Amino acid sequence: QVHLVESGGGLVQAGGSLRLSCAASGRTVSNYAMGWFRQAPGKEREFVATINWSGGSPYYADAVKGRFTISRDNAKNMENTVYLQMNSLKPEDTAVYYCAAAQRPWVRRPLEGDYWGQGTQVTVSS
């Protein structure tokens, strides 16, 4: 079993930055792809970014490309952390952000996630 815990959300003004973290524990996820998704009120959960098991080949949704950066730290044996650096935030980035882990090269669709965290709220004020 994999346990994912997100942190780092909060309230920020438009143009500001936040760094989200997702700590994975339990079964090792060093060979899992990791991804970030978000869900705004009344909307479906949408893909934000994904990274493969080695930390390479990051892939982003068009809406966040050039502003968000995904990275991961596999240094700890049974605990891995994936990050989402969010810069130049916009009000439309407001959502609950979730991380996901999947035993596949990437996780780009909600159905592809094998494990999910509980989410962290990001609110961007105009």
Side-chain angles (χ1 to χ4, degrees), residues 90-120:
K90 304 175 182 180
E92 51 264 44
D93 294 319
T94 296
V96 177
Y97 283 70
Y98 299 89
C99 72
Q103 283 189 298
R104 53 180 66 241
W106 296 274
V107 52
R108 300 181 186 177
R109 295 181 296 175
L111 288 176
E112 295 175 345
D114 295 324
Y115 301 97
W116 290 89
Q118 292 300 308
T120 184

Side-chain angles (χ1 to χ4, degrees), residues 44-64:
E44 294 185 351
R45 191 168 298 189
E46 65 175 7
F47 167 75
V48 174
T50 186
I51 194 165
N52 70 11
W53 68 272
S54 67
S57 302
Y59 183 81
Y60 301 93
D62 289 342
V64 306

Side-chain angles (χ1 to χ4, degrees), residues 25-108:
S25 60
R27 184 177 180 180
T28 181
V29 294
S30 60
N31 59 341
Y32 281 57
M34 302 292 291
W36 285 97
F37 292 77
R38 66 187 182 186
Q39 189 166 17
K43 295 187 177 181
E44 294 185 351
R45 191 168 298 189
E46 65 175 7
F47 167 75
V48 174
T50 186
I51 194 165
N52 70 11
W53 68 272
S54 67
S57 302
Y59 183 81
Y60 301 93
D62 289 342
V64 306
K65 200 172 294 183
R67 300 188 297 122
F68 291 10
T69 302
I70 188 172
S71 60
R72 68 185 293 168
D73 177 8
N74 289 342
K76 298 182 179 181
N77 191 25
M78 289 295 289
E79 295 183 356
N80 308 100
T81 304
V82 62
Y83 304 97
L84 187 69
Q85 177 67 44
M86 306 186 296
N87 299 327
S88 302
L89 282 161
K90 304 175 182 180
E92 51 264 44
D93 294 319
T94 296
V96 177
Y97 283 70
Y98 299 89
C99 72
Q103 283 189 298
R104 53 180 66 241
W106 296 274
V107 52
R108 300 181 186 177

